[in-house]
Amino acid sequence: MSSSTRVYDTSDQSPGRSASPPVPEPSETEAEGLIFYHMDLYGSKERFDIFPEEPSGQGDRSRGDTRRESALNSEKFQCSQEAGYDLEKEVAELAKMYGLDEDREKELELLGGRLEMVESRWPPARTDKAGSQGSLYNASKSSSPMKDQSQSTKQQRLPVKASQDEDQGKVRAEDEAENHTRSREGLSSGGTSDEWSSQAVSEEEEVADVFCCTCKTPIRAFDKLFGEHKDHEVAQLPRAVESEKEEIHKNMCKLEEQIAQMENFASHLEEIFITVEENFGRQEQNFEVHYNNAVQVLAQKYEEQLEALGEEKRQKLEALYGQLVSCGEHLDTCKELTDTTQELYLENDKANFMKAAVTMVDRLEEFLKREVDLELATLPDFEERVIDFSEVEQLMNSINTIPAPCAPVINPQAPNAATGTSLRVCWGLFSDDTVECYQLRYKPVSNERDSDEQAEHTLKVKETYCTITNLLPNTQYEFWVSALNASGISPPSERAVYVTAPSPPTIKSKKIRSCENAALVCWESRDINPVDSYTVELSKLTDEENGDIITESIVGIPNCEVLIHLQPTQSYRICVRALNLGGSSERSEPVLIHTTGTYFCLNEDTAHPLLAILDDGFTVACDELENPECDLPVYDNSFTRCIGILGSLIPFPGKHYWEVEVEEDTEYRIGVAFENTPRHGYLGANNSSWCMRHIITPSRHKYEFLHSGMTPDIRITIPPRRIGILLDYENCRLSFFNADIAQHLYAFKSHFQHYVHPCFALETPGILRIHTGIAIPPWTALP
């Protein structure tokens, strides 16, 4: 490592160095910047850590190394000032170490001249301490030619070993002297201190390559090792930049969220402002209506009370007037009697007096017997009337009462929003009325066949939706809803009809038919009402142990059966769903279908009454044949003469193979027949059936291959116990084989105009066991 250098600007000293001498304003002739060597490490063992061994011809140091080491030298320079070491002694040690003893005097002269020039530029120290520090500072400046030498020669590195020869020392001394001269010329060339300062600062800024996490500032890696950030936690600058960018991005996201929240809140506030205005308008209108009603009630009360008061006045006056008239009449009578009595006193004739006196006495007695009513008929005071203001108070109190809500609007049923036993009903209130709860009512829709009135059900809910449970599958219900608050209940909404999802169908597993490349699946609906369509879901079991399932769906099936094309030698699990407007039903119970061979079932509707089908569904038996034509219940589609049965139709083109296990002492007929083969005849006796017949004669077992009652003359020496039947629609062949020995017995060649049914019949008591789902043996191929 080369020696540490740093460029200082004399016009800008660090504030922390209070002991440094004051810097005067530089004159035009003074140098703008100085170069320093710091000698405190050269006399110690630590110098070997700073200057590792390197070849003398190694290239220039990088500018970054120079900047890193300059920080250390700056600190060492300050320490050297505080320690007060001797500059001449330091130079002597350096000269001795690098073999400069012979040219020591010449070097001292050069350094001394430089020292004098620097001292002439600095003022004397203010205090002793400052003066000592200033002398040390100036002495340090005198070593700047060595710094100039390293910078002007592309920072050529000095060797560290003290054992270099004397010639190399002389050459180095001459180079230092030449560099010293160049540096002096550079100082007098007119360069400014600002250029040196800006260059140093820019270099420091470029070298920042780590980030101090403690101080939160970019630093140089050298400062982490030796500077004030030695004990701080640092990180790589690119990583710190990425971390800060990520933190800023997070904060920006949070800021955007807050902005969105505030915008939403501002929108909400605007809505509240509008709502307040609308509520004020409604309340003002409501108050005006109630006030007008109250005024009308008060006016009506006033009119009523005034009318009652006038009626009372009229009654009082009429009573007083009547009493006054009666009093006048009484007074008139009194006056008339008084005058008559006075006239009687003036009568001189005693006889006339007596006659008149008797009559007069009678009149007076009769008049005096009358009671004179001297009480007032009515009082002048009027009754105190109390006005009933309860109605007015009720009106005034109802000013702030909310009105009854308007009728809600019920929504139509959403697709796939129902199950087999539940419905989700939704509605809305398109007004600003206050609602405390809703009253939902529903009942099943009555059909034409059911004339009874269905019971209504009522529910009270707080929300504008409700899920109703415990309903019947695939059933229509009508719903209507009302809104309630403290003022009353709204009118009911329009009625809406909802329908529940169907019940899961039931697959008829016994009627499933399949072959190597197709299957016919049948099912039945468990609902009374029809459904819209069916969906068949089939899962191919590619690995039954691991449960690897690939699912496919066939949708839009209108009927209760479907023909599915499959892949050979595979196993499938099949389920069926029913669909309507309400949604899809649950899956039906699954059935397994194997495409290893042909599967069919026996049609019980075609069985003769004496023929029984055992529990496995593929074994037919007959116990007695005493009178096969006896009086037995006859079915529309059953055999009546031949004790036989048909299997289900084989509706798939291609080849189909099945086997029948027979007993040697049983007579039978096996083969195929059309759907319309006569039920009152025998199999093989008509042109709609082809069969192999086995009969036992006293001499041998006889085998016939019958069609339209005709059979070829064929002798079979080995009675078959397991007969294989191969139906080939494409090649128009029906072949029979002895499956035990892989022997071909006979083949019909006929063009089958329609799909055929397997057929089986017993002519003696016995059993026939039918085996389906068998892969076509390779030996069935014709030679």
Side-chain angles (χ1 to χ4, degrees):
M1 180 182 295
S2 60
S3 59
S4 175
T5 61
R6 182 169 183 175
V7 177
Y8 279 82
D9 184 5
T10 57
S11 64
D12 185 14
Q13 295 295 325
S14 172
R17 298 173 183 173
S18 59
S20 300
V23 181
E25 292 294 330
S27 62
E28 295 181 356
T29 60
E30 290 178 346
E32 297 294 334
L34 296 176
I35 304 174
F36 305 98
Y37 262 100
H38 306 291
M39 306 302 180
D40 57 333
L41 293 178
Y42 286 91
S44 61
K45 294 181 180 181
E46 284 78 0
R47 71 178 183 274
F48 296 107
D49 297 333
I50 299 177
F51 301 102
E53 295 183 2
E54 293 181 359
S56 59
Q58 187 174 357
D60 300 332
R61 291 183 309 170
S62 64
R63 185 175 299 176
D65 294 336
T66 303
R67 288 195 297 269
R68 293 189 186 95
E69 294 175 359
S70 63
L72 180 62
N73 287 338
S74 174
E75 295 174 0
K76 295 301 181 181
F77 171 70
Q78 185 176 1
C79 295
S80 66
Q81 288 179 338
E82 295 175 359
Y85 59 85
D86 190 358
L87 177 62
E88 293 182 358
K89 183 179 180 180
E90 195 74 36
V91 172
E93 291 179 358
L94 282 174
K96 184 179 180 180
M97 183 176 61
Y98 289 101
L100 303 178
D101 294 339
E102 296 179 358
D103 299 331
R104 181 178 180 184
E105 295 179 358
K106 183 178 180 179
E107 182 69 15
L108 288 174
E109 290 178 359
L110 294 174
L111 294 176
R114 177 66 177 170
L115 182 61
E116 292 175 358
M117 180 191 71
V118 173
E119 288 178 350
S120 65
R121 294 177 56 192
W122 290 88
R126 295 180 182 178
T127 60
D128 295 341
K129 184 177 180 180
S132 62
Q133 290 179 350
S135 62
L136 290 175
Y137 190 74
N138 295 332
S140 299
K141 292 178 184 177
S142 66
S143 63
S144 62
M146 300 179 69
K147 168 70 184 278
D148 266 346
Q149 179 263 342
S150 64
Q151 183 174 1
S152 62
T153 59
K154 303 300 182 180
Q155 300 179 356
Q156 188 174 13
R157 302 173 182 267
L158 295 174
V160 179
K161 295 182 179 180
S163 62
Q164 290 184 338
D165 54 10
E166 187 174 339
D167 293 337
Q168 290 178 348
K170 292 180 178 181
V171 172
R172 188 172 301 279
E174 294 175 357
D175 292 340
E176 290 177 357
E178 182 179 358
N179 292 335
H180 171 69
T181 304
R182 291 180 181 177
S183 64
R184 296 184 62 183
E185 293 176 356
L187 291 173
S188 62
S189 62
T192 61
S193 62
D194 292 339
E195 294 176 355
W196 286 88
S197 177
S198 61
Q199 181 180 359
V201 172
S202 63
E203 289 179 355
E204 289 181 3
E205 292 177 353
E206 292 176 1
V207 82
D209 52 359
V210 296
F211 182 77
C212 179
C213 300
T214 304
C215 300
K216 301 297 182 181
T217 181
I219 62 172
R220 299 170 300 168
F222 189 83
D223 294 339
K224 167 62 180 173
L225 298 177
F226 301 100
E228 61 184 87
H229 305 279
K230 182 177 181 180
D231 298 329
H232 295 178
E233 182 182 357
V234 298
Q236 293 295 328
L237 190 59
R239 185 179 301 174
V241 170
E242 292 298 327
S243 177
E244 289 299 323
K245 287 183 178 180
E246 184 178 357
E247 187 68 23
I248 292 174
H249 177 69
K250 291 180 180 179
N251 292 333
M252 287 297 296
C253 292
K254 293 181 180 179
L255 184 61
E256 290 176 358
E257 291 179 0
Q258 290 185 2
I259 291 173
Q261 291 177 359
M262 294 305 297
E263 288 179 350
N264 294 334
F265 183 69
S267 300
H268 182 63
L269 287 178
E270 292 178 359
E271 294 176 357
I272 295 300
F273 271 105
I274 296 173
T275 304
V276 168
E277 292 291 340
E278 293 176 352
N279 291 339
F280 170 76
R282 285 196 300 270
Q283 290 293 334
E284 183 181 16
Q285 184 179 4
N286 186 31
F287 178 79
E288 183 179 357
V289 171
H290 284 75
Y291 176 78
N292 293 334
N293 293 336
V295 170
Q296 291 179 1
V297 170
L298 286 174
Q300 183 179 359
K301 292 289 184 182
Y302 171 76
E303 294 293 337
E304 292 177 356
Q305 294 294 331
L306 187 60
E307 183 178 357
L309 187 63
E311 180 65 21
E312 185 179 1
K313 172 186 174 183
R314 184 186 61 81
Q315 292 177 358
K316 286 180 177 294
L317 293 178
E318 289 180 354
L320 291 174
Y321 179 76
Q323 193 173 14
L324 182 60
V325 170
S326 176
C327 182
E329 292 177 351
H330 190 76
L331 288 175
D332 292 340
T333 304
C334 289
K335 289 180 179 181
E336 189 269 333
L337 289 175
T338 301
D339 293 342
T340 304
T341 303
Q342 290 177 356
E343 290 178 357
L344 181 61
Y345 275 105
L346 297 177
E347 182 67 40
N348 295 323
D349 188 0
K350 294 181 179 179
N352 291 334
F353 175 79
M354 290 300 297
K355 291 180 182 179
V358 171
T359 304
M360 190 64 186
V361 170
D362 293 337
R363 286 185 62 191
L364 288 173
E365 289 178 357
E366 183 180 359
F367 177 77
L368 293 175
K369 287 180 180 179
R370 298 179 183 177
E371 294 183 0
V372 179
D373 188 9
L374 300 179
E375 297 291 334
L376 293 175
T378 182
L379 296 175
D381 298 330
F382 285 84
E383 296 180 3
E384 293 184 0
R385 298 184 177 274
V386 179
I387 302 176
D388 185 9
F389 289 102
S390 60
E391 186 176 357
V392 178
E393 291 177 355
Q394 184 177 0
L395 288 173
M396 297 302 294
N397 293 333
S398 64
I399 291 178
N400 295 325
T401 304
I402 57 176
C406 300
V409 177
I410 195 165
N411 300 339
Q413 183 174 8
N416 302 320
T419 66
T421 58
S422 65
L423 283 171
R424 181 181 175 87
V425 183
C426 302
W427 59 89
L429 188 67
F430 297 97
S431 65
D432 296 329
D433 297 334
T434 302
V435 176
E436 295 180 359
C437 65
Y438 294 93
Q439 179 176 282
L440 179 65
R441 307 180 73 181
Y442 68 95
K443 68 175 182 177
V445 176
S446 302
N447 50 36
E448 297 179 356
R449 294 173 294 178
D450 188 7
S451 60
D452 296 338
E453 184 67 22
Q454 299 291 336
E456 294 183 0
H457 303 273
T458 304
L459 296 174
K460 284 190 176 182
V461 293
K462 294 287 187 180
E463 298 81 8
T464 57
Y465 60 88
C466 181
T467 301
I468 300 94
T469 58
N470 300 324
L471 303 178
L472 298 177
N474 199 28
T475 303
Q476 291 183 338
Y477 292 85
E478 57 180 355
F479 294 85
W480 63 99
V481 63
S482 301
L484 292 86
N485 62 15
S487 298
I489 185 171
S490 72
S493 65
E494 296 291 335
R495 300 196 177 195
V497 176
Y498 282 55
V499 60
T500 53
S503 301
T506 301
I507 298 179
K508 300 178 181 179
S509 57
K510 292 184 178 182
K511 292 188 177 182
I512 292 178
R513 289 155 280 175
S514 65
C515 62
E516 291 184 350
N517 53 17
L520 182 65
V521 183
C522 303
W523 61 86
E524 61 182 359
S525 175
R526 295 164 51 187
D527 300 316
I528 300 176
N529 298 322
V531 300
D532 295 341
S533 64
Y534 296 93
T535 297
V536 174
E537 299 177 351
L538 51 122
S539 306
K540 183 169 65 174
L541 307 180
T542 57
D543 189 352
E544 293 185 1
E545 294 181 358
N546 297 331
D548 187 10
I549 297 177
I550 301 174
T551 301
E552 299 178 3
S553 297
I554 303 173
V555 300
I557 303 172
N559 302 321
C560 290
E561 66 177 14
V562 64
L563 179 63
I564 309 172
H565 296 282
L566 305 174
Q567 298 178 359
T569 65
Q570 299 292 336
S571 297
Y572 293 87
R573 180 181 289 112
I574 293 182
C575 301
V576 182
R577 294 177 182 265
L579 290 86
N580 63 8
L581 178 63
S584 173
S585 71
E586 299 294 330
R587 289 189 179 95
S588 65
E589 290 295 328
V591 294
L592 290 178
I593 293 180
H594 305 280
T595 56
T596 54
T598 300
Y599 288 86
F600 59 85
C601 56
L602 298 178
N603 191 349
E604 299 180 6
D605 295 340
T606 63
H608 189 278
L610 295 178
L611 194 66
I613 303 175
L614 301 187
D615 293 339
D616 61 0
F618 292 95
T619 301
V620 294
C622 181
D623 295 334
E624 55 180 354
L625 297 177
E626 295 179 357
N627 188 8
E629 297 182 0
C630 62
D631 295 333
L632 294 173
V634 178
Y635 299 97
D636 295 339
N637 202 29
S638 61
F639 286 95
T640 59
R641 187 172 185 182
C642 176
I643 307 176
I645 188 173
L646 295 180
S648 56
L649 186 70
I650 302 178
F652 317 112
K655 296 181 179 181
H656 307 278
Y657 180 82
W658 64 94
E659 295 179 352
V660 181
E661 187 177 349
V662 299
E663 295 178 352
E664 189 175 354
D665 57 349
T666 302
E667 296 182 357
Y668 53 83
R669 296 174 188 242
I670 56 176
V672 297
F674 287 139
E675 173 69 29
N676 60 353
T677 188
R679 302 297 192 264
H680 57 277
Y682 289 95
L683 296 174
N686 48 59
N687 61 357
S688 60
S689 59
W690 298 259
C691 69
M692 171 184 175
R693 182 188 182 194
H694 171 237
I695 56 176
I696 302 175
T697 63
S699 59
R700 64 185 177 89
H701 292 272
K702 185 178 180 181
Y703 294 91
E704 298 176 344
F705 296 91
L706 298 170
H707 177 63
S708 299
M710 303 295 293
T711 179
D713 187 10
I714 296 178
R715 290 181 178 270
I716 299 175
T717 57
I718 301 176
R721 300 293 303 272
R722 193 179 183 96
I723 302 171
I725 303 174
L726 177 62
L727 173 63
D728 189 350
Y729 280 120
E730 295 178 356
N731 295 318
C732 304
R733 299 177 67 91
L734 177 66
S735 304
F736 296 86
F737 301 88
N738 185 343
D740 292 332
I741 60 176
Q743 179 186 15
H744 179 261
L745 301 178
Y746 182 76
F748 289 102
K749 294 182 179 180
S750 176
H751 179 68
F752 300 105
Q753 298 179 353
H754 307 285
Y755 291 120
V756 296
H757 295 256
C759 58
F760 312 91
L762 287 169
E763 296 186 349
T764 60
I767 295 175
L768 296 178
R769 294 183 176 88
I770 304 162
H771 300 275
T772 62
I774 302 173
I776 300 176
W779 41 262
T780 59
L782 294 176

